[in-house]
Every structure is written in structure tokens, then in C-alpha cells.
Amino acid sequence: MRLLDRYLLRELMLPLGFCLGGFLVFWIGFDLLSRLSELQEAHLTGGQILWYYLMRLPELIVVVLPIGLLLAMLYAMTTHARHHELVAIRAAGVSVWRMSAPYLTVGIFLGLFLFGVNELWAPYGTAAANSLMTRNFSVKNVVCSSAGRAILMNGLPEMPVKDITFENISLTAEKGVLCIDADSISLKN
């Protein structure tokens, strides 16, 4: 890697870090304010809310990273143009393609990274975050007759259904209760 490549990458990475950090804080802050009532209804603690946003981080990165890269690239190129560095690089005999090679490499690398995040990590993160919202709820005063199955709860091995309470229910069914990957299920009355 040439000295010029390291310089151009350094001048891009600093604004990229600031853009990503700023957009993530901005996005999470507004999302937290808009979902505050839902989080309170789910009776989540501060640690669980932090875990919720850590699980949603891949989904947010997929949205924020392209915008951050665009703004960081614009800032870096504007800074180079303001200080006449682009003219100096061209005067030194470096072609436009060679000068843009570090930026193209970063773009291709981040594109592949986003593809991997979007395909492999984001779906599980979103599902794990949503599973936090489906805890600690209760079903009350239900009457059901002639059902095929009384209750069917099917969680996932990595995200079991948790903390569900059934109160004052009357069920008549051909088959009973089936719980798969479920914890802390209670029946009262």
C-alpha cells in the first residue's frame, strides 16, 4: 500500500466513523423516543432495552452505513479539493483511476460487508429483538370450545417463548397443550 493510499483512506475513515456514530445515536435516540410506550408495556429493564438495541444494530447498520459512506466521501473529497490536494496528486502524475482506487476498494468491501450483515446477521438480530417484546404477557378470560388444539406455543431453540401467563381460561379441544421451546408458562384457574 502506497503512502498516498494510506493518506486517502485515513482522510475517509475519520469522517466515516463520525457519520456512522452520529447517525446511529440519532436513529436510536428517535427510535427509543417513539417506542418508549411499547418498551414500558413490555416491562423491559434498562439492560433489556440496551440488549434490544444491540440486537437491532445490524438492521440499523444496513440503513445507516451507505448514507454515512456517502457523506464521508463527500466530506473527504471536498476537503481535498479545498486544499488543492486533488490538483497536486494529478500534477504528480497519478491517474484519476489510481487516485480513486482506495475509495473504490472501501466501497466494494463495505458493500460485501453489508450483503453479509443483511443476509446472515440482521434477520436473527431482528428476531431476537422482537422476542424481547413478546415476553411477560398474559392471556385472561378466554372461553373456547370445539378447537383442534387447546394451546400451541412454538418458540425457537435460540429464542424460546418466555414468561406467559394464562388466567381464567376454559378450553374444550381434541388435543391438549403443546409447548415447544417455551419456558415459564403458567396456568391459573
Side-chain angles (χ1 to χ4, degrees):
M1 180 179 283
R2 293 172 41 185
L3 182 62
L4 177 63
D5 295 336
R6 287 195 302 264
Y7 173 71
L8 293 175
L9 285 175
R10 185 180 71 230
E11 292 296 313
L12 176 66
M13 289 302 160
L14 185 64
L16 180 61
F18 281 126
C19 286
L20 284 178
F23 279 131
L24 284 175
V25 167
F26 185 71
W27 192 297
I28 289 172
F30 274 102
D31 190 64
L32 180 62
L33 289 176
S34 67
R35 291 181 184 256
L36 197 55
S37 62
E38 291 176 37
L39 297 172
Q40 287 176 338
E41 287 174 7
H43 303 291
L44 298 180
T45 64
Q48 288 173 328
I49 292 173
L50 178 65
W51 185 252
Y52 174 78
Y53 280 106
L54 283 175
M55 291 294 105
R56 289 204 55 216
L57 193 61
E59 176 187 350
L60 298 177
I61 285 175
V62 168
V63 174
V64 169
L65 188 60
I67 299 167
L69 180 60
L70 175 67
L71 289 179
M73 187 71 177
L74 288 173
Y75 178 80
M77 295 306 286
T78 303
T79 303
H80 293 318
R82 184 180 329 129
H83 297 293
H84 305 289
E85 293 172 348
L86 297 176
V87 174
I89 293 169
R90 289 288 294 137
V94 178
S95 70
V96 173
W97 288 106
R98 180 64 187 101
M99 185 173 53
S100 63
Y103 300 131
L104 291 172
T105 304
V106 168
I108 290 169
F109 174 74
L110 289 180
L112 292 173
F113 173 73
L114 280 179
F115 178 76
V117 166
N118 203 24
E119 290 296 318
L120 303 174
W121 191 20
Y124 295 111
T126 303
N130 290 338
S131 72
L132 281 175
M133 300 298 284
T134 58
R135 292 182 181 177
N136 301 326
F137 73 92
S138 62
V139 178
K140 297 180 182 179
N141 303 323
V142 175
V143 176
C144 176
S145 62
S146 303
R149 164 100 39 209
I151 297 173
L152 171 63
M153 287 183 283
N154 194 2
L156 299 172
E158 61 271 7
M159 292 175 290
V161 177
K162 291 185 178 181
D163 303 323
I164 300 175
T165 303
F166 294 95
E167 292 183 40
N168 299 326
I169 60 172
S170 174
L171 304 172
T172 305
E174 295 175 15
K175 297 180 182 178
V177 176
L178 177 61
C179 298
I180 301 170
D181 294 317
D183 293 328
S184 303
I185 309 299
S186 63
L187 299 169
K188 296 179 181 176
N189 294 339

